[in-house]
Amino acid sequence: MTPHPPPAAPPGERLPEQRTAAGRMPEDRGHMIRRRWLTAVIIVLLVGIPAGYLVISAGQSRASGLDKERESSAVGLQDNWPSLMKRRVFEVPVPPDAFAVAYYETSNWKTSRLYVHFTTSAGGLDTFLAESGTSRSALAPGRVTVSERDAGIAGWTFTDGTVWSGATVTREGPRPTTDITVDLTDPAFPRVFVVSTTSP
């Protein structure tokens, strides 16, 4: 049989609007475009905001590290013992009989350094060297192991006419590398200069 066409609406009346099988009104083109645009905006916000936050945080962290290093350099050496935690982290075992101790720490996004100097006894020097993983026999006469850069930052001057000896203790990462330079002009009271560097 030939299907009958839907009945025409009486004059002045409208037939009920057609609905989908699920009972919803069919989506017009304008509504579909607005829905897709809103979905795209939500996806961009969900992905873009966290990514932007990570970039900004990384930049701020790096800038903060550089600021910390500049601040440390501005402050300079502090006439005090480094904390026990710093001595452990940087593996700088200042001997108990040390005096005229001074230190400071610099840190940025790439490396951290602990600068320490102190005067000790001959026995204290041997103890310090042994606990640092080296010995007096490893000290090379006439050698200054502290770089010019580090000496400038710490305000140290390694002048001629002084009996210098030095050694570098290299450890497997992430443990620090330690540059040790000793003034042995007075063997009974050696003056020790240490730069311990870590790269987290």
Side-chain angles (χ1 to χ4, degrees), residues 135-178:
S135 65
R136 193 183 286 259
S137 63
L139 295 175
R143 185 183 177 199
V144 175
T145 56
V146 176
S147 69
E148 290 185 8
R149 174 191 179 277
D150 287 331
I153 290 174
W156 296 333
T157 303
F158 299 101
T159 58
D160 295 334
T162 302
V163 183
W164 300 112
S165 289
T168 296
V169 180
T170 303
R171 306 177 181 90
E172 185 175 352
R175 295 176 65 191
T177 295
T178 306

Side-chain angles (χ1 to χ4, degrees), residues 1 25 71 100 130 136 179 190:
M1 296 177 60
M25 296 297 296
E71 288 173 6
R136 193 183 286 259
D179 293 311

Side-chain angles (χ1 to χ4, degrees), residues 83-106:
S83 68
L84 183 58
M85 180 177 291
K86 289 184 191 296
R87 281 178 271 159
R88 286 177 175 171
V89 169
F90 288 93
E91 299 192 40
V92 180
V94 181
D97 68 352
F99 59 95
V101 181
Y103 83 96
Y104 82 96
E105 179 185 0
T106 63

Side-chain angles (χ1 to χ4, degrees), residues 63-118:
S64 176
L66 294 173
D67 288 342
K68 283 179 66 178
E69 185 173 34
R70 283 193 291 266
E71 288 173 6
S72 295
S73 299
V75 171
L77 291 164
Q78 301 178 45
D79 293 325
N80 203 346
W81 285 57
S83 68
L84 183 58
M85 180 177 291
K86 289 184 191 296
R87 281 178 271 159
R88 286 177 175 171
V89 169
F90 288 93
E91 299 192 40
V92 180
V94 181
D97 68 352
F99 59 95
V101 181
Y103 83 96
Y104 82 96
E105 179 185 0
T106 63
S107 180
N108 60 31
W109 63 278
K110 188 176 181 182
T111 58
S112 297
R113 289 181 175 86
L114 182 67
Y115 298 77
V116 183
H117 70 230
F118 58 87

